[in-house]
Amino acid sequence: WLGLVGPGVANNGLDTVTWSAHTDIRPTMMAIVGLTDDYTYDGHVIAQALDNDALPSGLHDPNQLNEFNSLAQMYDQINAPTGQFALSTLTVSTHALASNTPGDATYISLEGQLSSMTTQRNVIASQMNAILQSAALGDSHHFDDSKAQSLIAQGQSLLNQASELAAFLA
């Protein structure tokens, strides 16, 4: 859990809906205090926790804020250690390690699929991160809604692929 209070923090009470990871704390705190640095974040601003005035200028437009939140949620699900992608691939990897087929054929096949999905995830996540970082720095000119929507769709496809493989093995 994370508790936030102070100037710039929305008085939302207990929020049981917003999903965030520990990597989101630093960019959120930097947004609250209005500072920037040259550190590349692995998380994103938790926009739902901030007053509109405390949001980076790139997120003041409600449409961009909604798109930012959707992109951030998908980023978390494909990149966070407890996101849907990690949990699904953990199931697949556990099944691969437990297999005992001749020549480790099951292990080799499943680990190959995991490697491919991880490569896809890395490409998608790095593009998502670039958009999220740009928006967090107040650069609304580079927030491309169509690119964000495309990345969300690619992320969902990847989540579906990992979930289907995990369900097939269960």
Side-chain angles (χ1 to χ4, degrees), residues 20-99:
S20 66
H22 65 284
T23 55
D24 300 335
I25 296 170
R26 182 180 172 90
T28 302
M29 296 304 297
M30 295 295 279
I32 290 171
V33 298
L35 296 176
T36 59
D37 60 13
D38 60 358
Y39 181 79
T40 300
Y41 304 124
D42 202 22
H44 57 81
V45 172
I46 307 169
Q48 301 91 324
L50 304 183
D51 288 331
N52 194 48
D53 292 342
L55 290 171
S57 62
L59 301 178
H60 284 195
D61 176 85
N63 292 329
Q64 285 188 331
L65 179 58
N66 288 337
E67 199 67 37
F68 174 88
N69 286 333
S70 295
L71 184 65
Q73 289 169 4
M74 181 56 68
Y75 178 77
D76 287 340
Q77 290 306 310
I78 68 167
N79 205 49
T82 57
Q84 184 181 344
F85 182 78
L87 297 177
S88 293
T89 56
L90 178 61
T91 298
V92 175
S93 184
T94 300
H95 188 84
L97 289 169
S99 71

Side-chain angles (χ1 to χ4, degrees), residues 22 27 54 61-62 77 92-93 108 112 114 123 132 145 147 151:
H22 65 284
D61 176 85
Q77 290 306 310
V92 175
S93 184
I108 291 168
L114 287 173
V123 170
L132 293 168
D145 288 342
K147 180 66 174 173
L151 289 169

